[in-house]
Amino acid sequence: MFNIREMVENDWEFVKEIYEQALIEGKSTFTKEVPTYENWDKSHLKDCRYIIEKDKKIIGWCSLSPTSSREVYKGVVEVSIYIHQQYRNIGAGKFLLNYLVKESEKKGYWSLISSIISSNINSIKLHEKCGFRQVGHREKIAKDIFGIWQNTVLYEKRSKIIF
């Protein structure tokens, strides 16, 4: 039903479109505009960037970002996952996030972190279905695109392979 492959630079226009949908919705990110590919590329790890396709159409993507530049935290990374509006609630997010978990463990990442805007119930449910657990929350951490202060919840998935 779904195909997952590594993201390449030529995918950026599709990735950008899906990311832009999330910006407009205002419940998946505090970012106010889609960065250039060059800026996005600099802030995300080179490995664990994946595209999910259905019927050869890109319907979502995921990637990892470092949480710290310190060597001791090189295995602690932050998850980004976005699914096109028209393809939500069909299992694509779960399929992609489970794939990311498996592949990240192979590459030596031991702690996946997601900071989710607390009103984004679908993302919270997705992470819980994939074995993430809530480890914290932050109150009024940032304003959304509409200028409203939002809370976030922190979810974590620890590797079972590494420990």
Side-chain angles (χ1 to χ4, degrees):
M1 181 174 206
F2 302 114
N3 178 56
I4 295 178
R5 63 173 175 80
E6 290 190 22
M7 181 190 299
V8 296
E9 185 175 352
N10 286 343
D11 294 325
W12 181 245
E13 285 306 311
F14 299 102
V15 168
K16 180 180 170 184
E17 176 188 331
I18 294 167
Y19 194 39
E20 200 163 42
Q21 287 177 353
L23 297 182
I24 292 167
E25 289 175 335
K27 63 180 182 178
S28 298
T29 181
F30 293 118
T31 303
K32 297 203 180 344
E33 61 183 44
V34 177
T36 63
Y37 175 78
E38 293 75 20
N39 286 339
W40 182 89
D41 184 54
K42 287 178 192 173
S43 65
H44 291 78
L45 298 172
K46 304 298 182 206
D47 57 359
C48 292
R49 296 176 177 186
Y50 300 108
I51 292 294
I52 187 167
E53 298 172 319
K54 180 174 175 33
D55 302 324
K56 299 184 180 182
K57 177 180 165 94
I58 294 173
I59 64 166
W61 61 273
C62 66
S63 64
L64 298 176
S65 303
T67 58
S68 175
S69 60
R70 294 176 58 194
E71 181 68 19
V72 296
Y73 295 116
K74 70 180 179 182
V76 181
V77 292
E78 185 170 0
V79 173
S80 294
I81 182 167
Y82 294 90
I83 303 296
H84 191 285
Q85 290 170 336
Q86 294 176 339
Y87 295 93
R88 294 182 187 157
N89 301 310
I90 62 168
K94 183 177 177 184
F95 193 78
L96 183 58
L97 187 53
N98 281 331
Y99 184 86
L100 177 63
V101 168
K102 182 179 73 169
E103 293 301 310
S104 68
E105 287 180 333
K106 290 179 187 176
K107 293 177 170 63
Y109 300 111
W110 62 81
S111 182
L112 302 182
I113 306 293
S114 285
S115 179
I116 305 169
I117 296 173
S118 61
S119 62
N120 192 344
I121 303 305
N122 288 338
S123 186
I124 290 169
K125 287 180 181 178
L126 168 65
H127 283 78
E128 289 174 349
K129 285 179 190 174
C130 293
F132 283 70
R133 65 186 177 98
Q134 185 175 340
V135 294
H137 69 278
R138 295 183 287 191
E139 294 179 12
K140 296 181 180 175
I141 192 71
K143 289 183 180 179
D144 63 20
I145 195 167
F146 309 109
I148 300 168
W149 284 101
Q150 295 291 334
N151 303 329
T152 58
V153 287
L154 301 175
Y155 274 78
E156 177 185 54
K157 171 88 172 165
R158 299 299 296 262
S159 172
K160 292 179 181 168
I161 294 175
I162 296 174
F163 295 110

